[in-house]
Amino acid sequence: MNRIAKLFLGVVLLPLAFSILLSVFEVLWYIVKGYKVTLYFMLGAALYVLTHLFFYNFSRFYVMAHEFSHAAAAWLCGYTVSGLSVKSDSGEVKVSGINTFVLLAPYCVPLYSLIVTFVYLLLNLFVEGAERYGGLFLALFGFCTALHLMHTYKALTETEQSDISRAGGGIFSFSLIILINMAVILGLAEIYFPGIIPIGSLSGGIIKRTIQFWKWFFDNLYSFSVKFFAGTGEA
């Protein structure tokens, strides 16, 4: 897909991405309302935020996840991976080829949250009585998800990322990042506290708002066109 096509797709996805951002507040409300189930998740997320702001921001851990995500995405696409290096605030991985998936994977996928969830599912599958550790894994899920979201926001807003430019530009990349992050995090949340977040009605609201926007856009575009060409004809 060339850059112009990606720009067009990004513009088309922007209303959907904006609608998803609005729904974040709904998700937070459902999480707070279901505090009897989600309390450990909220405590884990709050612990990360406070630690990040006042003590240690885990930048090296984020860089490690960032570069490993590039490498894993490249490997899944059949590319050769070599020379992965991680420093406190930067990293590098050498791959034999790149595409949009490889470039945007670190911004879209909360790697540590996936790892924690994978271990959680394995324990529940093979270890008797593993449910007693449910609170711990909920807290780790909250902690790792907050780490991913805060560092992703920081990476996208505080520094110019060459990944974004090479993937197809800001509009295209940001729309995909918002869309995929929401889908992945909601999917993981459903594993830990099923039924707390009504994904069906939430998705319906997102789609409804998006459709309403495009209806408003095309109605106004039609009205403008009619007035414009009517004025041109009179002239």
Side-chain angles (χ1 to χ4, degrees), residues 82-141:
S82 62
L84 192 153
S85 64
V86 175
K87 299 178 181 178
S88 60
D89 57 357
S90 64
E92 182 183 14
V93 61
K94 296 179 181 178
V95 296
S96 61
I98 58 171
N99 56 32
T100 300
F101 175 52
V102 174
L103 291 167
L104 297 185
Y107 309 97
C108 297
V109 180
L111 180 64
Y112 292 128
S113 296
L114 287 177
I115 292 172
V116 167
T117 303
F118 180 70
V119 174
Y120 172 74
L121 292 174
L122 281 180
L123 284 177
N124 278 275
L125 191 60
F126 295 110
V127 178
E128 186 177 349
E131 63 273 4
R132 74 185 70 162
Y133 304 109
L136 172 62
F137 279 95
L138 261 178
L140 286 172
F141 173 51

Side-chain angles (χ1 to χ4, degrees), residues 68-81 95 97 99 101-102 105 109 114:
F68 184 82
S69 296
H70 277 313
W75 179 76
L76 288 172
C77 291
Y79 300 134
T80 302
V81 179
V95 296
N99 56 32
F101 175 52
V102 174
V109 180
L114 287 177

Side-chain angles (χ1 to χ4, degrees), residues 186-201:
L186 282 180
L188 294 178
E190 189 66 14
I191 293 173
Y192 288 100
F193 29 87
I196 293 297
I197 302 172
I199 294 179
S201 61

Side-chain angles (χ1 to χ4, degrees), residues 13-27 175 178-183 186 202 206-207 209-210:
L13 288 175
L14 266 182
L16 176 61
F18 183 70
S19 181
I20 290 172
L21 282 178
L22 289 178
S23 70
V24 168
F25 296 100
E26 296 178 68
V27 171
S175 296
I178 292 169
L179 179 62
I180 297 174
N181 266 293
M182 187 70 162
L186 282 180
L202 192 72
I206 292 171
I207 294 170
R209 284 193 299 267
T210 305

Side-chain angles (χ1 to χ4, degrees), residues 48 52 57-59 62 146-155:
Y48 178 78
H52 180 104
N57 66 9
F58 290 86
S59 60
Y62 173 74
L147 184 156
H148 168 74
L149 292 177
M150 289 190 72
H151 275 285
T152 298
Y153 175 80
K154 181 179 179 182

